[in-house]
Amino acid sequence: MSTVLLREVPVDSVVHRLWAGTKMIAAFLISLLLMFLPMWPVLGVIVAFLMVIWVLARLPLGALPRLPWWFWGLVVLGGLINAPIGMKAVLGYTQVLVFGMVLVAASFLIAYTTPMGEVAPALAKLGAPLRKLRLPVDEWAVVVALTLRGLPLLLDEIRVLRAARKLRPKDNLLHRAADNYPLIDILTACMAVSTRRAGELGEAITARGGTGMLTAHPSSPTSRDAIAIGVVVAVCAGAIALNAVL
């Protein structure tokens, strides 16, 4: 995918100003609705709603991920495999595909409109009731924060490894052996880089006295977040009513 993942698009919009927990609750409600009612009317309403959110967020079309050709080839191949079974199987396959893409689009909307530093504090606030059960909510939030911050670094390292592999001399024994098992070679290099990065990150955290606070400026939901949740609930209820009518 020729796109930048887990990076906020720096524009000012009503969606950007929402609390991160509100967006996660909205995505959860949408996924819950589609899990129990993945019907075409419901999918159509949710797709239209996400398109409206995209416009309200003032996101450019260039932020859309450009998937490689082999992805669309696999999609067409899946349709051809289901074609001999009948039109009902093709429609079911398309329905599942649209369902998955809707959930991915909702996740991208959260990533494009939310600073990644606000996700972990929001998770900690949403999981506050679980502290009464003595569950390590703060530790889980710290793990999520470190994962979100480390994933872009890992993607950059993978790009560097791929470029370095292409530049290696092709006449040595090591390169000929790696060509026989290219996937194993890349996975081994990725594991080595990940281990080294994890060690450096752990040493840096230890040197600073631990993980400390999740954020220096914690945010909380406001009245506009309540309105946003109300709109999402109304859209989900409207989708259920439309599906019942049709």
Side-chain angles (χ1 to χ4, degrees), residues 116-117 119-121 123 140-150 214:
M116 288 297 102
V119 173
L123 286 175
W140 293 343
V142 169
V143 171
V144 171
L146 294 177
T147 302
L148 293 176
R149 293 178 182 179
L214 287 173

Side-chain angles (χ1 to χ4, degrees), residues 25-26 29-30 33 37 41-42 45-46 49 53 225-243:
I25 293 174
L29 292 176
I30 291 174
L33 172 65
L37 285 175
V42 178
V45 171
I46 297 302
F49 177 65
I53 295 300
D225 294 286
I227 296 174
I229 292 296
V231 171
V232 174
V233 172
V235 169
C236 293
I240 295 173
L242 180 62
N243 181 72

